[in-house]
Amino acid sequence: MFLAKLSVKRPVLVAMLVLVFVVFGALAYNNIPVNLMPAREIPFVNITTSFPGAGPIEVEQQVTILIEDAVSTLSGISSIESFSLDNTSMITVTFTLGTDIRVAAQQIRDRLAGIVNNLPTDARAPVVGTFDFNIAPVVRLILSGEEDSRDLFQYADTTLRDRFSQINGVALVDVSGGQEREIHVILDMHDAHANMVSLSQISRIIADNNLNMPSGNLSAGNRILSIRMVGQIDDIHSIGNLEIPTPNGSRRLSDIARIIDTGAELTTRTIFFDNTTGMRDENVIRIDLIPNTDGNPIQIAGAVHRQMRGIRAAMPSGMHLSIITDRSIFIESSVNDTMGNIFMGVLLTGLLLFLFLGDIRSTLIVAIAMPISIISTFLLMDAANFSLNMMSLLGLATSVGILVINSIVVLENIFRYKDMGYGKKESAEKGTSEIAVAVMASTLTNLVVFIPIANMGGRVGPLFTEFGLTVAFATIFSLLVAFTLTPMLASLILPEKTYYGRIATFVNRVMGWFEKAYIKTLEAVMKNKIRSGFLMGVMALLFVFSLSIYNKIGLEFMPLMDEGDIDILVELPIGYNLDETTSVIDEIQRIVALNPEVLHINSNIGNLGRGDRGMHLARTSIKLVDHAEREITTQQVVDKLIRDLADVPNAKIRVEAQTAMRFGGGGNSFTIRLTGLESERMIEISYEIMDRIRDIPGLINLDTTTRPGRPELVIEPKRDQLALTGVTVRDIGTGARAAVEGLISSQFKEVSNEYNIRVTLDEEAYRTPERLRNLTIMTPQGRFQMSQLADIHFTEGINRIIRRDKAKMIMISGGPATGIPLGDITTEVNNRLRGLQLPDGYAVRLGGGAEMMSEAMDEMMRAFMLAILLLYMLLAATLESLKQPLLIMSTIPLALIGVFFVQYMTGLTMNVMSMMAIIMLIGIVVNNAIIILDFANMLVREEKKPLKEALLTACSVKLKAILMTNIAIMLAMLPMALGMGDAGRELRQSIGVVSIGGLLMSTVLSLYVIPALSFLTERKKVI
């Protein structure tokens, strides 16, 4: 072989070439960013539109539908999902994978620009963003102090928001808590009657007298002067000096109204509780930094920490800013733990090699392949814009054992030639050249398996691209090292005469005993074809039995990582105000604080997330101490809190462990999407679905978006009276809104900040429905009471309206209890819903984590089948045979036997990580058969040995190499299988356990099955 010959003849040249990869790989390592998972361009575009004072129906009809119609004709749209809520429209447009999300967002902005004038005048301009609502904040901060809550909010909403928004990768700075400053102009009802003025009139006067505007250009000789009228009010007292025309003459606004510098109505509240000190603070502002789809959490958190000193130095005296959540810590820990698994795997593999080879020089020749291949891999990772994340590092961790396979096989063959009497240089050249085809074939089997993994489609496919390609990069370098550095070092540092020390002598003696016992039992199996056939029958029965075990293995999307974050979602009866809800949250915090694992508690009252707002709702976020400081997992804390909070009265409580790995809304939960035409019929169907699945064992947190909204007072105009009085429906609606919420007249500007000027009536004027009926409406025909122009009655309000692809939708969600796989729940849900009779135009579909799990498993199965096909094609082309690839691939069912048994015994589920390990095993387990059959082929072809004798000889000669390579891979996987390290070990453990189980079983069985099957299927003397 050219490379082997060159390496022996030009060792310095080869050493320098290899050193080039090592040097540039080490330099590239410092350039590779760190992240939790591979950066994925999630094709979400969010459109948020504020429509103050509007209910869900008005928001849907006047805002949501208009926007949906405008953007729905864009190309590449996968789905459109909308939430019409009180005051807000939230639309998520999902594009197909591969769509340039920045271009898509700009196209949506262009479409919205064409319809913005068709939106209601009170609606604000739609805001387009490319962040995912399901992405957890990277950094969460708390601003506290003795200052007024308005000052805290003002500082957070302006100074801190602007400062943090400038950080690269931050898509949204979410500020919650505190009170927004407002200027209130409060008109007494009696003064309004006496002076014949309305809120609309006063609001218009304030707006007309509070503006700056350009007034054109003036030519003055050879100069052109710009004319600008400056009329903006710069003093609150100036508002009260405005003249208001009345039938009794002009009056100053301050004579008929009170002007107050105050705050907006409080609808939310943030509470922070430090469980280490027992400090509770209600005067806090929470600041969440949410990344965009390609934002790097490590870089974002690093930028925040770097800016903290400067921010604190510039803060007003008495304010305190602290970081309470930093997900970059978990990310760095997960990366460090995975790197630790890699180093431990390298160490264990090196010790194994020394034990088998018994010579430090031989061990060095093989072991050097691992660090050189790993360091060189960083060069290609940097060129491919990969990051050091869980998936790419898992690729390196799983490849540690694979990296030494080629060098072990090459070195073992070099020793065989030395034992035959050849010199070390000639042994290095001949031994490498003879085994080159088998080594290349085994290497290519790994590559053709990881290519389908790296090219999986769907939403989860891009997640495994870096994993598959990283293993492929490392494997390519291991092949290069095996054909260059291994023979070169063997020709230089191996002694001419092999010397075995005490360790090597002992190991060789043990291997000799083991080899004799193995060959003796193999000869008994291959005594005749009946015995070989009997063995095949036993293996077939064992495989069938393992399939029955597979049906008992749980199925889920992704193992839940223990990040120490818990959310408690609280829903109280409609009508609870902030103080009543706060009282319940205080009781919940008291119960939660009894757990020593809790570090701090942060409650956001009035906001449940994703548009669910109301003073009867609250979301409590719990941060646990570091994993090393507690004895129980996050999920065990969740189970305890579910029991402890079960007795809180009048509260619907859900407790969930949280993870930053949301995958676009998919988690360990399921969602039933019910779409249809009529809301009333959909509600009936949703109740039927709830009744069918409510008692499924292990199903918890069952919830539905179908719930009543706040009670409403409906104002229905008397159109005959309106015709007589000259009053319009808009006049009545504006009058009612002005009385209840007030009218935003304009903004009061102070320095660079702007505050709303709200014109409203005294609270006593609209406190009760009776007073609302007596509300005075000013018309050109005089004054009229609301009851004269409209009927007012109570009705049940709507909480929210959800639409998907322009059809109305109701969502029913739930999740599995601890120890219950998601697949078991979804299977039973499907069984319960199989007999559901749906009218035409109505449909039910599983979504959420269940949908992601189904999609991921489909993609994994597609990759599995493609890997098998490519493997067969490769082996057939390499061996120039259509039959032998089938013999070699018989090791795959043997590996599956081990996989199913080990998963059943350890209680691990079948998930995307374990499925990926199974696909990976396809390329590994066939190496045993390749090594045995390639050598047997050579003996039959060159030495004319009978097939049976050739197989027995090949199994005897290659036994040590097979055991070394397979045990090396299993030892490299051992740190992952044992769950060493805290952060992210759940993902690593699935891969490690499955890999070891499948490899162990296939190694033991293939040593008998491959030769026996080859002997059984013999048709000619030459194979």
Side-chain angles (χ1 to χ4, degrees), residues 58-264:
E58 291 74 26
V59 170
E60 178 200 28
Q61 295 176 349
Q62 300 180 40
V63 176
T64 301
I65 293 178
L66 287 177
I67 295 178
E68 286 179 346
D69 291 340
V71 304
S72 62
T73 56
L74 289 174
S75 61
I77 290 181
S78 174
S79 66
I80 300 177
E81 191 169 288
S82 66
F83 290 76
S84 298
L85 314 154
D86 282 329
N87 310 313
T88 306
S89 167
M90 301 171 63
I91 301 175
T92 298
V93 183
T94 304
F95 289 84
T96 55
L97 289 176
T99 301
D100 189 326
I101 201 62
R102 294 167 183 82
V103 173
Q106 186 56 51
Q107 289 176 338
I108 287 179
R109 292 187 184 98
D110 294 340
R111 291 293 179 91
L112 294 179
I115 67 161
V116 68
N117 292 330
N118 298 332
L119 297 176
T121 55
D122 294 334
R124 297 172 185 172
V127 177
V128 178
T130 58
F131 66 94
D132 182 5
F133 284 110
N134 296 290
I135 294 180
V138 173
V139 177
R140 175 169 289 169
L141 305 100
I142 286 291
L143 176 66
S144 60
E146 300 176 356
E147 285 75 9
D148 185 87
S149 61
R150 290 178 298 168
D151 296 331
L152 288 175
F153 178 84
Q154 178 65 32
Y155 189 77
D157 192 50
T158 54
T159 304
L160 295 182
R161 185 193 293 274
D162 293 342
R163 190 76 176 264
F164 292 134
S165 296
Q166 296 171 5
I167 296 176
N168 186 35
V170 173
L172 177 67
V173 179
D174 186 33
V175 177
S176 59
Q179 188 177 28
E180 188 174 357
R181 182 185 177 189
E182 275 191 355
I183 311 301
H184 285 187
V185 178
I186 304 175
L187 185 66
D188 182 81
M189 195 60 149
H190 299 292
D191 289 337
H193 288 172
N195 292 280
M196 294 287 292
V197 294
S198 66
L199 295 183
S200 300
Q201 179 184 359
I202 293 177
S203 176
R204 187 165 52 252
I205 291 173
I206 295 175
D208 292 343
N209 286 276
N210 182 34
L211 54 85
N212 297 335
M213 61 181 298
S215 300
N217 299 317
L218 177 65
S219 297
N222 59 353
R223 293 185 302 170
I224 298 178
L225 302 177
S226 297
I227 302 175
R228 184 167 62 93
M229 190 275 296
V230 181
Q232 196 165 52
I233 297 174
D234 56 3
D235 184 274
I236 293 178
H237 298 291
S238 299
I239 300 175
N241 293 328
L242 293 176
E243 294 291 332
I244 307 298
T246 73
N248 303 321
S250 295
R251 299 192 61 182
R252 289 197 309 171
L253 181 59
S254 59
D255 293 335
I256 60 175
R258 292 179 294 130
I259 294 90
I260 303 176
D261 187 352
T262 182

Side-chain angles (χ1 to χ4, degrees), residues 611-627:
D612 277 335
R613 297 184 179 92
M615 287 184 282
H616 65 295
L617 304 174
R619 189 185 194 99
T620 295
S621 299
I622 302 169
K623 185 66 181 178
L624 304 182
V625 298
D626 188 73
H627 191 283

Side-chain angles (χ1 to χ4, degrees), residues 10-29:
R10 303 285 302 275
V12 176
L13 171 64
V14 169
M16 294 301 103
L17 289 176
V18 173
L19 192 60
V20 167
F21 291 112
V22 174
V23 170
F24 283 97
L27 293 175
Y29 175 79

Side-chain angles (χ1 to χ4, degrees), residues 210-487:
N210 182 34
L211 54 85
N212 297 335
M213 61 181 298
S215 300
N217 299 317
L218 177 65
S219 297
N222 59 353
R223 293 185 302 170
I224 298 178
L225 302 177
S226 297
I227 302 175
R228 184 167 62 93
M229 190 275 296
V230 181
Q232 196 165 52
I233 297 174
D234 56 3
D235 184 274
I236 293 178
H237 298 291
S238 299
I239 300 175
N241 293 328
L242 293 176
E243 294 291 332
I244 307 298
T246 73
N248 303 321
S250 295
R251 299 192 61 182
R252 289 197 309 171
L253 181 59
S254 59
D255 293 335
I256 60 175
R258 292 179 294 130
I259 294 90
I260 303 176
D261 187 352
T262 182
E265 180 186 3
L266 277 177
T267 58
T268 63
R269 181 177 294 165
T270 300
I271 303 174
F272 179 72
F273 182 83
D274 190 335
N275 203 34
T276 58
T277 63
M279 182 197 73
R280 179 186 182 276
D281 195 347
E282 213 174 281
N283 189 30
V284 297
I285 307 294
R286 192 179 78 183
I287 306 171
D288 289 344
L289 272 58
I290 300 174
N292 54 31
T293 54
D294 56 357
N296 189 306
I298 299 293
Q299 295 176 356
I300 293 174
V304 172
H305 284 282
R306 288 192 297 270
Q307 292 187 18
M308 284 297 286
R309 179 175 297 179
I311 291 175
R312 285 169 174 161
M315 288 175 61
S317 177
M319 288 189 184
H320 309 284
L321 183 65
S322 57
I323 298 175
I324 63 170
T325 300
D326 183 355
R327 291 192 179 272
S328 68
I329 297 175
F330 178 85
I331 296 172
E332 289 184 312
S333 297
S334 66
V335 170
N336 292 336
D337 288 345
T338 308
M339 289 293 289
N341 283 186
I342 294 175
F343 294 142
M344 182 62 69
V346 171
L347 178 61
L348 291 175
T349 305
L351 291 175
L352 170 74
L353 295 175
F354 179 73
L355 182 65
F356 267 89
L357 299 175
D359 178 63
I360 190 65
R361 288 171 291 185
S362 302
T363 303
L364 178 64
I365 292 174
V366 178
I368 200 173
M370 290 183 289
I372 288 179
S373 299
I374 290 174
I375 295 173
S376 301
T377 300
F378 294 136
L379 175 62
L380 295 183
M381 290 176 63
D382 184 39
N385 294 320
F386 289 0
S387 64
L388 293 178
N389 54 70
M390 286 289 295
M391 301 310 298
S392 61
L393 290 177
L394 276 175
L396 285 178
T398 54
S399 64
V400 167
I402 301 174
L403 298 180
V404 298
I405 293 178
N406 295 332
S407 293
I408 288 176
V409 174
V410 169
L411 187 65
E412 189 269 340
N413 214 46
I414 292 174
F415 268 100
R416 192 174 71 87
Y417 269 88
K418 284 179 86 290
D419 293 339
M420 293 167 58
Y422 290 92
K424 59 182 181 180
K425 289 190 175 181
E426 192 175 4
S427 297
E429 183 179 340
K430 287 182 174 293
T432 304
S433 300
E434 182 184 75
I435 207 73
V437 174
V439 171
M440 289 186 64
S442 62
T443 302
L444 290 175
T445 57
N446 290 329
L447 294 179
V448 299
V449 164
F450 288 108
I451 288 174
I453 292 178
N455 289 279
M456 286 194 303
R459 284 172 290 180
V460 297
L463 187 70
F464 299 104
T465 300
E466 293 192 17
F467 174 89
L469 291 182
T470 298
V471 179
F473 295 158
T475 304
I476 291 172
F477 280 114
S478 75
L479 180 64
L480 179 65
V481 170
F483 284 161
T484 56
L485 210 58
T486 299

Side-chain angles (χ1 to χ4, degrees), residues 913-932:
M913 305 306 293
S914 54
M915 283 286 290
M916 184 173 62
I918 292 174
I919 299 174
M920 181 181 66
L921 281 174
I922 296 175
I924 298 176
V925 298
V926 297
N927 290 333
N928 298 340
I930 292 175
I931 292 173
I932 292 173

Side-chain angles (χ1 to χ4, degrees), residues 839-977:
D840 291 339
Y842 295 80
V844 169
R845 180 182 176 184
L846 282 183
E851 182 182 33
M852 293 285 286
M853 179 180 67
S854 177
E855 179 183 309
M857 293 306 170
D858 289 344
E859 288 297 328
M860 286 289 181
M861 185 56 65
R862 190 177 294 111
F864 180 81
M865 300 305 297
L866 180 59
I868 290 179
L869 176 62
L870 292 176
L871 181 61
Y872 175 82
M873 295 169 65
L874 172 65
L875 292 175
T878 304
L879 302 175
E880 196 60 35
S881 170
L882 297 177
K883 185 187 76 172
Q884 278 204 344
L886 298 177
L887 300 179
I888 293 174
M889 293 172 65
S890 64
T891 55
I892 297 175
L894 303 181
L896 293 179
I897 294 173
V899 169
F900 298 155
F901 271 102
V902 76
Q903 283 189 291
Y904 179 74
M905 289 186 294
T906 58
L908 293 178
T909 61
M910 184 67 71
N911 51 68
V912 293
M913 305 306 293
S914 54
M915 283 286 290
M916 184 173 62
I918 292 174
I919 299 174
M920 181 181 66
L921 281 174
I922 296 175
I924 298 176
V925 298
V926 297
N927 290 333
N928 298 340
I930 292 175
I931 292 173
I932 292 173
L933 294 182
D934 179 73
F935 192 71
N937 285 344
M938 187 269 294
L939 294 177
V940 171
R941 184 173 55 251
E942 297 182 5
E943 300 184 16
K944 309 303 181 182
K945 286 188 176 183
L947 175 60
K948 181 178 178 179
E949 183 182 346
L951 289 171
L952 290 172
T953 303
C955 290
S956 175
V957 172
K958 297 300 180 182
L959 176 63
K960 185 176 181 179
I962 290 173
L963 292 179
M964 285 179 63
T965 55
N966 285 277
I967 296 176
I969 296 175
M970 286 186 280
L971 281 179
M973 297 283 187
L974 189 59
M976 293 193 295

